[in-house]
Structure formats: C-alpha cells, structure tokens
Amino acid sequence: MPRSFPLQKASPLHHTASAGAAQTELGALPEWNLSDLYPGIDSDAFKADLARAEEECKAIAETYRGKLDALARGDSPAEALGAAVRRYEAVEDLLGRLMSYAGLVYSGDTTDPVRAKFYGDTQERLTAASSDLLFFGLELNRIEDSVLDKAMGEEPLAHYRPWIEDLRKDKPYQLDDRLEQLFHEKSVTGRAAWNRLFDETIASIRFNVRGEELPIEPTLNKMQDPDETVRKDASDALAKTFKENLRTFTLITNTLAKDKEISDRWRGFEDVADSRHLANRVEREVVEALVAAVREGYPRLSHRYYALKAKWFGKDKLDHWDRNAPLPKVEQRTIRWDEAKETVLAAYSAFSPRMADIARRFFDERWIDAPTRPGKAPGAFAHPTVPSAHPYVLLNYQGKPRDVMTLAHELGHGVHQVLAAPNGALMAPTPLTLAETASVFGEMLTFRRLLDQTTDPVQRKSMLAAKVEDMINTVVRQIAFYSFERKVHLERRNGELTADKLCELWMSVQDESLGPAIRLGPGYESFWTYIPHFIHSPFYVYAYAFGDCLVNSLYGKYETANEGFVDRYFALLSAGGTKHYSELLAPFGLDARDPSFWQIGLSMIERLIDELEAMEAESR
C-alpha cells in the first residue's frame, strides 16, 4: 500500500507541507497541490474569501432584488443588466472556488473528522450565503420576453445571451422565491446530508480478502486479478460487506428517491428523469431513442461478447467475478506511472500538440492526485473548480491497463474544462450530453495508438477485448444502470422499497443486459449499493452511453476526413455551455436527434467484436 497522505502525516491543515508524490512500486505517484486554491483550511485567505462571499451575496441582494425588471425597462438596459450579471458571475466564481476547495480536501480523506467538519461547515455557510442569490435567476425569468430580447441585443448583456436563454428553459419549473429559498436551505439537511452519509459509509467500510482488511478500491481492483480464486474471494468479500450494510444503503436510496419525487412533483416534472434531461439540455425522445437502440443491441453486443469470452476461458458460462477478468494466458504486467503518463501524452500529441500541452500541465503543476489511500474517495473524477483557477484530477492508480485508460479519460475532461474556462463561471459548464465527449475521445486516441503499435496477435487480442469490455461497461452497463434507476424511482412512488425489492430490480436489469453467458451468483444482488451516481446524480449514467456513441461517430469522421477536424473539435470543446449540442455537432455532419445516429456508434463496438471473432476462427 502507498504511504499515508502527507496532509495527514505532516500538517493536516496546510497543503504546502506535501512532498508532492507518493513513492510506491508504481513509481512516484503525484499528489495534488491544493494551495493553488488556498494555503490551508485554517488559512487567512480562505476565511477572508468566505467572509467576502457572504458579504457580496448580501450586497447583490440589497442592490438588485426586486429591481431587475425595472433595469430591463430603463434607459440603458443592456449596460445595467450586463453589469448586474457580471457581478453575479464574479460571486458565483468565488463561491465555486470555496466549495471546490472544501470538496477536494474532503475527497482526500472522507473519514477524517477534521476534513468532514470543514466540508460540512463550508457547505452550510455557502448554502446560506447563496440563498441571497436565488432571486437573481427567478427575476430574470420573470422579465417579459420581448423586453429581455431587446436588452440582449447589445453589449455587455449580449455576451450572456447563451446563459440567459438557457436559464429561461427552467422557467416553467420554477417556484416562487420563498419556496425556492426553502428548497435551497433545506438541501443541507436533506439531499446533501444523505450524499455525505453515503460517501463516508463507502469510504469507511472494509472488506476482508484472505485476512486482509481492504477499502473498496483495492478490493474492486482484485476483481481484475489473473487468479480466479482471488477474484472470487474479492467478490465474496464485497457481497458479504454490502449485505451487512444493506439496511443503510436501502434507507439512503429510499430517502433520496422520495426527496426527488417531492421536488419533481412541486416543480411539475412529468417523468422521473425529466429534470435530468432539462439539466442536460437534451430532449426526452433523444434519450429514449438511445436507450431503445442500446437495449435492442444487447444480443449483438454484450451477450455475443461474453459468450465469446466464456469460450476463451473454456466455460459455458462466466461467473460474475470473471466478467472483467484479464484473458487467460496473457501476460499481465504492472504499468508504472511514468509509462502511463507518456502513453497518454504521446497519444494526445499525435492528435494535437496543443492538446498534449494542456494535459502536460496537469502533471507538471501537480493538478493530479493518484495514489490509493484509506478514506480517499473511490473511483476517479476531474473537478473543473472555477474558471479563475484550474481543474484537478483524482485517480486511484494501481497500474492496471484500465487505470491508464482512466487517466486518459479524466485528462480528456481536464482538457475540456481548461478550454471551456474562458467562457466564465456561468457559461463554462458543459451539459452532460457533451461532458463525456473529450474524456471518451481521449480514451479512444490512447487505445488506437497502443493498438497500432502492437504486432503480437496475443497482445492485440487482449487489447481489443479490453476495449470492447470498456465500451460495454460504458454503453450497455450504463444503460442498464439507467433502467435500474427508472425502475427504482417509479416503484418508489408506490411506497418504500425493501432491500429485497431493490436487489430484485437490480438483478432483472443485469440479467437482461449481460445475457445468458454470465452467471449472476449469490451475493451479486447487492452490488447496486456502491454505485455513487445513483446517489449524487440521479440518471447521470446515460451520459456515458451518449458520450461513447457520440465519440464513436466523431472518431469515424476523424478517420475518414480529418482535414480541419482538429480545429472543429477544439471549437466544440471551447464552446463550453454556450451552444446546444445539436449546433456543436452540425459542423461534423452529425445529428443525435436522428434515431439512426445511435447505430453508428454501436456499430463500432460490433466491428471490434467481429475482429475478435475472426481472430478466434483463425486460431483454430
């Protein structure tokens, strides 16, 4: 195991104490330098900014509450409203900086009571402060369309037209100011509190694998061990501990599903996923077409591939702990950090030196936290923080080939976030429909480069199989997750769901999506418990399938007509949230609203399986 986080060993309150890297058998693994945001949680700079944010929120409310409509009808509406929005954007950036810092500190060790208190206290104060800003968007949306359209015809307000037009899509679902304030302030003791309980529970539970007490990430990692007995023992350990904590996870899931139902009902959303579609700025019928295409493709994709993989293992069926197992008789080596870094940067550079230069900053300037540590948030993410700062990437790097792809994935997010930042705090964020584009594209670039350099047929087969599995996990598995969520939220409308019912719903979608070649044995029914997206971002998961199919189509365009592609691609990423996805895809000749669009992306997965089947036939 890597040594403990230096923030805990040297100075738990000041990030300048970090040596910057953890030395392990994987090489020197980088640890992020959060002092680019603030020197420490007890620093004067953080305290001063927090106080300034609270004062500015109150000042904006005192200056503008009840007056935005009058400004829009005044002598210089574009200038007056433009100045108000600029001021609002500036304080949003400051609030985002403070909360991003608290969240990143907390993710470093969610079991540390000092960090947990800091995170909770910061969240409470910022929620209270930002309640003074709730009026701003609500009042903008009450301005008559013709009046606001006229004001947006001139600068400086014209600059914010994309944000304002986006904001107005929320208008039908807004409540009156006092109700919005109540929803906002109660979120600290409602959804946010249950999110935190989930995070701290997942981070604190331990799994006994052959006498060793492990956190969740190293345990999940053993599910990819070449030794089947290790995989089975890890799976059994996961199942045992999930079952022991099933009551807690069931309560969290029931509570959050009911919380969402209350919010949806008050706001007037018809379908359980409509609020997510609105946030993603994507039409319900587009998502339904994606889901239908993927589910219809289960037999051609996952069912077909897992049947092929079972043959490679000499079995009629694979146990669920074999689903992501490395292929038999293929050398499995540990990939050191420096090699992973150079692999991804070389792939990015071959596509665009500019892209590699941006990604290299994450390594050079310590924007990455890579080691696994007890209490550290599981999984991986790229946090954009705010445009006035820079993104950070969290990994749990353990030297597996999939970890290299995860690095490529998260750096893709990071590049996207850097490019979108000049749009400012209000327009830099990208809807989830396009948020996975750069990440999945970065994975594809890395995979293709490695595949092109591989001449050994055994290694090539292993790489193709790993890529197919990643794509199945990204497309098939995420749509199955989405189907599970729909079942949970629809059933919750009829009352609380028992743990047995949740497990039953989980098994129904898993059986459908994975197919007859996967044996879902005892214990697997509780594996829904650790998926964080169900808790933090209901219905987020279809964005992965959306992004993967979209990138498959984009990559096809790049392969067939790459002249000018790089410039168009950078324009797409640089747009942030200023344009609808349909407008951004048009220069590539792509239209996600066309039901046949999804078949383009799915066909790429099929072609890879075709190649694997052909290799299998040749080897007989």
Side-chain angles (χ1 to χ4, degrees):
M1 292 291 292
R3 67 176 173 82
S4 58
F5 198 15
L7 302 192
Q8 295 170 289
K9 289 183 70 174
S11 171
L13 304 181
H14 287 85
H15 300 278
T16 50
S18 174
Q23 188 69 42
T24 75
E25 68 275 12
L26 300 170
L29 295 175
E31 295 173 344
W32 53 28
N33 174 23
L34 297 182
S35 64
D36 287 356
L37 293 172
Y38 293 100
I41 65 176
D42 62 348
S43 66
D44 290 340
F46 183 86
K47 293 173 184 176
D49 271 1
L50 184 56
R52 181 163 64 92
E54 291 171 325
E55 291 168 5
E56 180 62 0
C57 288
K58 286 185 172 64
I60 288 175
E62 290 169 2
T63 303
Y64 294 112
R65 181 182 281 137
K67 300 173 184 175
L68 294 184
D69 187 73
L71 292 179
R73 299 175 187 276
D75 294 335
S76 304
E79 184 175 335
L81 279 179
V85 175
R86 267 202 305 265
R87 190 170 173 185
Y88 174 82
E89 180 178 45
V91 78
E92 283 286 348
D93 189 279
L94 179 58
L95 292 167
R97 175 183 285 264
L98 290 159
M99 199 64 238
S100 295
Y101 177 70
L104 293 171
V105 167
Y106 175 63
S107 68
D109 184 357
T110 60
T111 62
D112 177 9
V114 175
R115 297 184 192 217
K117 174 176 169 52
F118 171 65
Y119 175 73
D121 289 349
T122 303
Q123 187 178 53
E124 285 187 18
R125 288 184 64 176
L126 293 182
T127 299
S130 58
S131 67
D132 286 323
L133 302 178
L134 285 176
F135 80 93
F136 200 90
L138 298 172
E139 283 194 27
L140 273 180
N141 273 350
R142 293 193 190 109
I143 299 173
E144 190 178 321
D145 287 349
S146 59
V147 173
L148 191 57
D149 284 341
K150 183 179 178 182
M152 289 191 296
E154 300 178 24
E155 294 292 353
L157 191 62
H159 170 74
Y160 294 101
R161 176 184 283 276
W163 174 71
I164 294 171
E165 290 181 341
D166 219 27
L167 185 69
R168 289 177 89 74
K169 294 174 184 175
D170 296 324
K171 187 175 180 178
Y173 308 100
Q174 289 179 176
L175 306 174
D176 65 55
D177 291 23
R178 293 289 287 171
L179 277 174
E180 290 288 357
Q181 185 174 356
L182 178 63
F183 269 52
H184 181 72
E185 292 189 14
K186 288 282 285 181
S187 68
V188 174
T189 54
R191 170 166 290 278
W194 290 97
N195 279 201
R196 180 174 162 187
L197 174 61
F198 173 85
D199 290 343
E200 294 187 7
T201 301
I202 281 290
S204 62
I205 58 179
R206 293 294 179 264
F207 305 86
N208 188 317
V209 184
R210 300 185 171 187
E212 188 177 6
E213 297 290 327
L214 298 175
I216 189 166
E217 278 294 335
T219 309
L220 289 169
N221 188 56
K222 288 185 180 295
M223 297 276 279
Q224 299 175 42
D225 196 277
D227 185 340
E228 181 179 358
T229 64
V230 173
R231 297 195 299 270
K232 181 183 185 302
D233 288 349
S235 177
D236 289 346
L238 289 165
K240 180 177 183 294
T241 304
F242 289 155
K243 185 176 181 180
E244 291 169 351
N245 290 273
L246 203 52
R247 183 178 178 182
T248 299
F249 290 122
T250 299
L251 178 59
I252 292 171
T253 300
N254 270 295
T255 303
L256 288 174
K258 183 61 178 178
D259 180 84
K260 185 179 185 304
E261 185 274 325
I262 293 169
S263 177
D264 285 354
R265 176 161 38 88
W266 276 80
R267 294 188 182 282
F269 289 110
E270 294 180 5
D271 185 75
V272 290
D274 276 352
S275 59
R276 174 61 62 196
H277 303 333
L278 178 67
N280 288 350
R281 302 304 188 236
V282 63
E283 300 78 12
R284 187 200 299 174
E285 57 270 22
V286 171
V287 178
E288 289 176 346
L290 164 64
V291 173
V294 175
R295 290 185 66 183
E296 189 270 334
Y298 285 169
R300 305 192 312 275
L301 302 171
S302 49
H303 298 188
R304 178 180 166 209
Y305 173 75
Y306 290 131
L308 183 62
K309 186 171 184 177
K311 289 181 182 177
W312 295 334
F313 278 74
K315 299 181 177 181
D316 293 328
K317 290 188 175 188
L318 293 172
D319 289 297
H320 64 260
W321 53 78
D322 292 330
R323 189 173 60 82
N324 288 321
L327 300 192
K329 301 177 183 178
V330 177
E331 180 187 358
Q332 298 297 315
R333 67 184 183 89
T334 298
I335 301 169
R336 290 174 60 84
W337 176 254
D338 284 347
E339 182 182 350
K341 169 185 172 181
E342 293 309 316
T343 296
V344 175
L345 290 180
Y348 277 27
S349 183
F351 174 74
S352 165
R354 179 187 177 196
M355 189 172 175
D357 287 344
I358 296 172
R360 189 173 286 107
R361 294 185 65 192
F362 284 77
F363 298 96
D364 294 346
E365 300 179 38
R366 289 174 54 200
W367 298 353
I368 301 175
D369 190 79
T372 59
R373 291 184 300 270
K376 181 178 175 179
F381 63 71
H383 194 310
T385 71
V386 288
S388 63
H390 58 75
Y392 282 94
V393 164
L394 178 142
L395 304 169
N396 280 275
Y397 188 82
Q398 297 178 80
K400 302 289 187 188
R402 278 193 174 89
D403 292 335
V404 180
M405 291 300 165
T406 300
L407 175 62
H409 181 102
E410 300 305 339
L411 284 177
H413 278 308
V415 169
H416 194 171
Q417 291 157 0
V418 168
L419 289 171
N423 293 298
L426 300 181
M427 294 183 289
T430 304
L432 292 184
T433 44
L434 291 173
E436 295 297 332
T437 303
S439 54
V440 178
F441 197 84
E443 281 189 76
M444 183 64 80
L445 290 172
T446 304
F447 166 72
R448 287 294 179 182
R449 181 174 178 83
L450 289 172
L451 189 66
D452 290 344
Q453 294 174 344
T454 302
T455 56
D456 178 70
V458 175
Q459 288 297 328
R460 183 178 179 86
K461 175 183 173 181
S462 178
M463 288 183 63
L464 282 169
K467 184 58 179 173
V468 169
E469 289 180 19
D470 285 343
M471 294 171 101
I472 287 174
N473 285 335
T474 304
V475 178
V476 169
R477 190 162 170 79
Q478 301 306 321
I479 292 302
F481 284 176
Y482 177 74
S483 299
F484 170 70
E485 284 190 277
R486 288 194 62 83
K487 289 187 176 188
V488 168
H489 284 265
L490 288 170
E491 288 273 357
R492 183 63 179 88
R493 290 180 172 183
N494 301 321
E496 282 203 12
L497 284 74
T498 64
D500 286 345
K501 185 62 177 179
L502 286 165
C503 293
E504 175 193 323
L505 296 177
W506 171 256
M507 292 296 277
S508 70
V509 300
Q510 293 299 300
D511 186 63
E512 176 195 26
S513 62
L514 298 177
I518 298 289
R519 182 186 297 107
L520 301 176
Y524 189 72
E525 69 276 0
S526 62
F527 274 48
W528 58 270
T529 55
Y530 78 95
I531 311 296
H533 299 85
F534 299 159
I535 304 302
H536 294 295
S537 307
F539 303 108
Y540 178 107
V541 288
Y542 73 73
Y544 290 111
F546 195 109
D548 199 84
C549 289
L550 172 59
V551 165
N552 288 344
S553 299
L554 269 179
Y555 198 85
K557 294 288 184 180
Y558 169 56
E559 286 184 314
T560 57
N562 69 16
E563 184 176 350
F565 181 93
V566 172
D567 291 338
R568 293 195 300 274
Y569 181 71
F570 274 99
L572 182 154
L573 300 187
S574 299
T578 63
K579 295 180 180 179
H580 190 262
Y581 71 89
S582 59
E583 188 179 354
L584 291 171
L585 293 180
F588 301 94
L590 299 172
D591 183 2
R593 293 168 297 187
D594 181 352
S596 64
F597 169 81
W598 303 111
Q599 298 301 333
I600 304 172
L602 297 177
S603 66
M604 180 174 286
I605 306 176
E606 288 187 76
R607 288 198 300 272
L608 294 179
I609 300 174
D610 288 343
E611 186 172 348
L612 283 169
E613 286 183 336
M615 294 175 74
E616 175 71 10
E618 289 175 7
S619 65
R620 289 174 187 163

